[in-house]
């Protein structure tokens, strides 16, 4: 049987609370349409997984409501069947949500009977292979959620987690477990719940060079339980001054960066489980691991990778923290130019990397050509059809590591709100040359299909993958 989890857009979770929390104390109901991502094999638990992402919340029409009390809610199935038609046409999963205002902490026997009948209605309407999602708001002293999915009419699959993603990342179905003694002093700063959350998170690090290796080491020392490392490159001598954990024999032996970083993480003895993905993040071989992650750090310096991760954040409601470091080479007069580190958080509600001018499609196309057809790339470069590919950029270990620290601290802000300003900073810039930090806004393109249109937010799996053509 597949494992299961739910991710709600923060705005959808707020809508649901408003619809399901009635002032008269009666149960209430609403509909939710979900996108889905199908993971053939989660690299940590070695099982298949379904990940549902909220796409749209729809109130139950007032005229459909039949009766409600603090123990039940009943409504006509007409609107449900209408929604089944919409779900089939748009390739989405239909879901219901209801409340237990008295705080009863699990689905009742009556819930199970009603949902089984609704599943059969949906199957009769949409055919074999239909699924029905069910979300329960446990509206007691502490509001909580439970969720499950019907894939047949025998027994539903219970969800492992319900998460809300927006200005912050919040777990909505409680935390349990044990935090090791290595993290006791961290709990003094943030409380024990952070350690429990970090231990259950699955975080991907795309690019394991100077910034990526530093990010991975910091995540492990924070107590992140599962880390996926994505990179196809090998260690070179020029990496040794900034790739954390790398040694000269790694360069001589042409070892993969991901293998070197994974070795160092495992050697810490902190319980982290690294997974090695020796591919670029957009490769088919990397997809299951990428889809299994809850948060991604983008530590790649190429435009193609950044454009890919930018789409991923919106399609799958997986926050992406993109890192950048720009050091201007020393001029002939001996003066060092700009020295800038950047951490940008991508998630529904923030400008994408295209709108920020950080990722450029033409340069991404050139990078893809260089990977797929290096001889043709060199020919076009000579004829000035492509740009870039010149001298390597400057890199200094203290700046790559500080940029990594800045990005991981942004993760902590998104999990704890320790700065007290509500959530993630959409983009933080650190001027190493001036010794100042600043937040940077961006003007969105009104026609942007990623960060303005909302049609892709939470859409999940589509064909072609993330609607990428070419």
């Amino acid at each position: 049987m597949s494992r299961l989890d739910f991710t709600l857009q923060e705005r959808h979770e707020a809508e649901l609370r408003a619809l399901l929390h009635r002032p008269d104390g009666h149960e209430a109901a609403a509909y939710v349409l979900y996108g889905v991502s199908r993971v053939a094999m989660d690299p940590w638990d070695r099982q298949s997984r379904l990940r549902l992402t909220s796409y749209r919340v729809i109130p139950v029409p007032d005229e459909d409501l039949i009766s409600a009390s603090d123990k039940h809610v009943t409504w006509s199935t007409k609107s449900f069947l209408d929604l089944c038609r919409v779900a089939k046409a748009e390739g989405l999963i239909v879901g219901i949500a209801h409340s237990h205002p008295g705080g009863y902490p699990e689905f009742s026997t009556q819930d199970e009977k009603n949902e089984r009948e609704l599943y059969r209605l949906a199957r009769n309407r949409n055919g074999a292979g239909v699924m029905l999602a069910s979300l329960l708001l446990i509206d007691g002293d502490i509001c909580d959620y439970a969720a499950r999915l019907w894939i047949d009419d025998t027994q539903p699959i219970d969800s492992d987690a319900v998460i809300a993603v927006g200005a912050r990342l919040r777990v909505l179905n409680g935390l349990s477990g044990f935090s090791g003694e290595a993290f006791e002093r961290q709990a003094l700063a943030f409380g024990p719940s952070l350690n429990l959350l970090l231990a259950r998170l699955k975080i991907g690090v795309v690019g394991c060079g100077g910034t990526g290796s530093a990010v991975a080491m910091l995540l492990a020392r924070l107590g992140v339980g599962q880390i996926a490392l994505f990179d196809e490159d090998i260690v070179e001598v020029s990496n040794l001054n900034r790739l954390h954990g790398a040694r000269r024999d790694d360069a001589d032996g042409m070892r993969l960066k991901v293998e070197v970083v994974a070795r160092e993480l495992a050697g810490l003895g902190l319980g982290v489980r690294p997974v090695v993905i020796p591919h670029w993040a957009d490769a088919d071989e990397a997809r299951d691991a990428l889809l299994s992650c809850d948060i991604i750090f983008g530590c790649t310096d190429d435009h193609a990778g950044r454009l890919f991760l930018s789409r991923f954040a919106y399609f799958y409601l997986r926050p992406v923290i993109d890192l950048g470091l720009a050091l201007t080479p020393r001029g002939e007069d001996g003066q060092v130019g700009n020295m800038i580190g950047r951490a940008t958080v991508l998630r529904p509600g923030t400008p994408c990397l295209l709108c920020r001018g950080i990722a450029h499609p033409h340069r991404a196309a050139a990078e893809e050509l260089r990977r797929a057809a290096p001889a043709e790339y060199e020919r076009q470069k000579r004829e000035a059809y492509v740009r870039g590919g010149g001298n390597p950029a400057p890199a200094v270990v203290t700046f790559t590591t500080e940029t990594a620290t800045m990005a991981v601290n942004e993760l902590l802000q998104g999990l704890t709100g320790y700065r007290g300003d509500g959530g993630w900073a959409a983009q933080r810039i650190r001027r190493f040359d001036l010794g100042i930090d600043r937040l940077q806004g961006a003007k969105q393109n009104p026609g942007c299909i990623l960060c303005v249109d909302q049609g892709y937010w939470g859409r999940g799996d589509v064909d072609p993958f993330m609607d990428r053509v070419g």
Side-chain angles (χ1 to χ4, degrees):
M1 180 179 288
S2 291
R3 304 295 292 271
L4 171 70
D5 56 68
F6 283 61
T7 301
L8 306 178
Q9 295 183 44
E10 185 178 66
R11 63 192 180 114
H12 289 161
E13 197 270 332
E15 286 182 61
L16 285 170
R17 281 189 186 271
L19 290 169
L20 300 181
H21 182 83
R22 289 177 47 135
D24 59 8
H26 289 177
E27 287 192 13
Y31 298 121
V32 187
L33 288 175
Y34 296 93
V36 63
S37 51
R38 294 170 172 84
V39 179
M41 187 178 71
D42 183 306
W44 290 284
D45 62 30
R46 316 297 288 181
Q47 297 184 57
S48 62
R49 179 174 289 275
L50 294 170
R51 311 200 74 177
L52 270 59
T53 45
S54 68
Y55 186 73
R56 191 182 308 150
V57 172
I58 303 101
V60 173
D62 290 340
E63 60 269 22
D64 280 8
L65 184 64
I66 296 173
S67 65
S69 72
D70 60 346
K71 302 295 185 185
H72 85 286
V73 60
T74 306
W75 70 96
S76 166
T77 58
K78 178 183 182 301
S79 54
F80 175 77
L81 291 173
D82 290 341
L83 198 62
C84 286
R85 182 177 66 253
V86 173
K88 183 174 183 178
E90 298 186 20
L92 299 167
I93 291 176
V94 67
I96 59 170
H98 78 287
S99 59
H100 281 175
Y104 184 68
E106 56 191 37
F107 291 96
S108 67
T109 302
Q110 189 62 43
D111 291 337
E112 184 156 336
K113 179 181 177 182
N114 294 343
E115 289 173 14
R116 183 175 284 109
E117 290 304 313
L118 286 174
Y119 172 80
R120 289 169 176 164
L121 280 174
R123 184 180 59 192
N124 292 340
R125 170 63 184 78
N126 287 2
V130 72
M131 292 186 277
L132 172 69
S134 179
L135 188 68
L136 170 64
L137 172 62
I138 303 161
D139 196 5
D141 294 333
I142 300 175
C143 290
D144 210 348
Y145 283 89
R148 59 189 185 181
L149 181 70
W150 294 81
I151 61 174
D152 57 37
D153 60 1
T154 57
Q155 189 68 28
I157 306 171
D158 291 325
S159 179
D160 298 326
V162 182
I163 295 173
V165 169
R168 291 176 54 184
L169 184 148
R170 294 179 294 124
V171 175
L172 303 176
N173 63 328
L175 292 166
S176 61
F178 172 75
S179 176
E181 62 180 352
F183 307 106
E184 287 179 353
R185 295 179 70 174
Q186 183 169 283
L188 294 177
F190 294 111
S193 62
L194 175 65
N195 290 350
L196 297 177
L197 174 56
L198 290 170
R200 70 186 279 179
L201 282 178
K202 300 173 181 179
I203 297 184
V205 180
V206 176
C208 290
T211 55
S213 62
V215 164
M217 294 296 289
L218 291 167
L219 294 176
R221 291 188 183 278
L222 280 175
V224 172
Q226 293 77 220
I227 300 176
L229 305 166
F230 301 82
D231 203 319
E232 197 174 276
D233 282 344
I234 60 171
V235 178
E236 298 177 352
V237 173
S238 62
N239 305 143
L240 297 180
N241 75 320
R242 63 191 185 281
L243 201 161
H244 289 256
R247 304 188 289 256
R248 181 61 188 245
D249 64 317
D250 295 321
D252 293 342
M254 302 177 67
R255 293 189 180 94
L256 288 163
K257 291 178 179 178
V258 289
E259 293 177 347
V260 170
V261 176
R263 177 191 68 202
E264 298 302 305
L265 298 185
L268 293 174
L270 293 174
V272 63
R273 294 190 294 160
V275 168
V276 169
I277 311 296
H279 302 283
W280 306 118
D282 60 355
D284 290 344
E285 297 89 341
R287 190 165 301 171
D288 271 357
L290 194 71
L291 290 173
S292 297
C293 292
D294 303 307
I295 298 169
I296 301 289
F297 281 83
C299 305
T300 176
D301 59 2
D302 66 292
H303 292 264
R306 284 186 169 131
L307 285 176
F308 176 83
L309 292 178
S310 195
R311 295 180 79 84
F312 184 82
Y314 297 93
F315 267 81
Y316 290 99
L317 308 185
R318 305 285 184 265
V320 171
I321 303 176
D322 183 73
L323 287 71
L325 178 63
L327 305 181
T328 304
R330 182 178 294 273
E332 293 181 1
D333 58 359
Q335 295 296 312
V336 177
N338 294 337
M339 309 172 78
I340 303 171
R342 172 187 57 79
T344 305
V345 179
L346 301 171
R347 48 95 180 166
T350 63
C352 67
L353 295 182
L354 271 174
C355 288
R356 287 189 175 276
I358 292 170
H360 301 276
H362 293 300
R363 293 185 182 180
E367 291 163 356
E368 295 284 8
L369 180 64
R370 181 169 54 186
R371 283 189 201 173
E376 176 62 16
Y377 169 82
E378 290 299 329
R379 184 190 70 79
Q380 292 193 22
K381 182 181 173 185
R382 287 193 301 270
E383 297 180 11
Y385 288 116
V386 299
R387 297 179 180 179
N391 295 326
V396 180
V397 64
T398 53
F399 297 148
T400 56
T401 303
E402 189 170 346
T403 302
T405 300
M406 182 170 63
V408 174
N409 281 339
E410 207 57 54
L411 167 70
L412 290 176
Q413 167 64 11
L415 299 179
T416 69
Y418 71 90
R419 286 198 294 261
D421 56 3
W424 278 305
Q427 182 156 287
R428 183 174 296 276
I429 298 292
R430 178 160 297 168
R431 290 292 303 266
F432 299 113
D433 51 332
L434 301 178
I436 61 173
D437 278 14
R438 62 187 177 90
L439 303 181
Q440 191 173 62
K443 184 177 292 186
Q444 292 168 285
N445 179 344
C448 181
I449 61 172
L450 273 185
C451 63
V452 174
D453 185 89
Q454 302 184 15
Y456 284 147
W457 297 9
R459 188 61 182 82
D461 291 345
V462 296
D463 188 19
F465 183 58
M466 296 198 303
D467 225 7
R468 298 168 80 222
V469 179

